Amino acid sequence: MLNKYARAFFTRVLTPFAAFLLRRGVSPDAVTLIGTAGVMAGALFFYPRGEFFWGTIVITLFVFSDLVDGNMARQAGISSRWGAFLDSTLDRVADGAVFGGFALWYAGTGDNNVLCAVSIFCLASGQVVSYTKARGESIGLPVAVNGLIERAERLVISLVAAGLAGLHAFGVPGIQILLPIALWVVAAGSLVTLGQRVVTVRRESAEADAASASESAS
């Protein structure tokens, strides 16, 4: 849902920056790789240490590369299947690092096995949600469904909650509860989204099979 509106807004905002990078000879693939490395560093260095505010700041600075690289490719007229593949693949890596960082915190100093398991579920379900769409499209189905919580929603909910929870280190009382709440919301929303996509693929595949059978019979 956020993809439809937020992506269009930030694409317009970041277009001048994308043009600047192109003039400096930076390639879209380089931006993709640097952005992913930055997200991983922010998530896997700061989050396991409980430094959620600074980790979120670092991640947010790099996460916009996901919009900049595509913008650069379109401006330069060099959009390619390879670029789309690399971008999508590294998105999964970055998402895994974010929720992996949460899991490491709760498995260690955070000392909460339930929230560790919820973090791992968020990580795994996010990958599966993305896979269901990709797999459905690979067998010729449109997978025409807007899921309840897709990648943009997962990141925004998790990062905003983590950043605010990190204010506990600056003396804001009780605010750390926002991160567990966000993880439960993302876990439940991802489960619903997975169900939406599975149901959609089942319906679309049945319709496609019926159409193929009708054509064969005629």
Side-chain angles (χ1 to χ4, degrees), residues 12-185:
R12 289 194 297 271
V13 171
L14 294 171
T15 292
F17 180 60
F20 170 79
L21 293 177
L22 286 171
R23 290 195 298 270
R24 295 297 183 274
V26 180
S27 72
D29 286 354
V31 171
T32 303
L33 291 167
I34 292 170
T36 303
V39 170
M40 292 179 65
L44 297 178
F45 177 79
F46 290 100
Y47 282 176
R49 298 152 59 98
E51 298 177 5
F52 295 117
F53 178 80
W54 294 114
T56 300
I57 293 297
V58 172
I59 292 169
T60 301
L61 290 175
F62 284 99
V63 80
F64 284 106
S65 66
D66 189 44
L67 300 176
V68 174
D69 54 6
N71 193 314
M72 291 172 65
R74 286 189 293 274
Q75 287 192 49
I78 54 174
S79 297
S80 65
R81 291 181 176 86
W82 161 250
F85 169 82
L86 180 66
D87 184 58
S88 180
T89 300
L90 293 185
D91 281 349
R92 309 287 83 76
V93 174
D95 293 357
V98 170
F99 290 103
F102 293 144
L104 287 172
W105 161 251
Y106 286 118
T109 308
D111 193 24
N112 192 315
N113 288 337
V114 172
L115 288 175
C116 176
V118 173
S119 300
I120 293 171
F121 180 83
C122 290
L123 190 163
S125 61
Q127 308 298 316
V128 176
V129 164
S130 297
Y131 173 79
T132 53
K133 186 174 181 64
R135 182 58 177 146
E137 291 174 343
S138 74
I139 57 176
L141 301 175
V143 196
V145 59
N146 291 321
L148 178 64
I149 291 186
E150 299 181 337
R151 182 174 188 258
E153 287 85 1
R154 289 196 303 271
L155 284 180
V156 169
I157 293 170
S158 303
L159 293 179
V160 169
L164 291 175
L167 294 177
H168 178 70
F170 298 93
V172 180
I175 201 166
Q176 67 271 26
I177 192 63
L178 290 178
L179 181 55
I181 292 172
L183 290 173
W184 279 108
V185 168

Side-chain angles (χ1 to χ4, degrees), residues 194-213:
L194 178 59
Q196 289 175 303
R197 291 194 173 178
V198 169
V199 169
T200 298
V201 169
R202 188 176 189 279
R203 174 178 52 79
E204 290 177 351
S205 62
E207 292 171 353
D209 290 343
S212 298

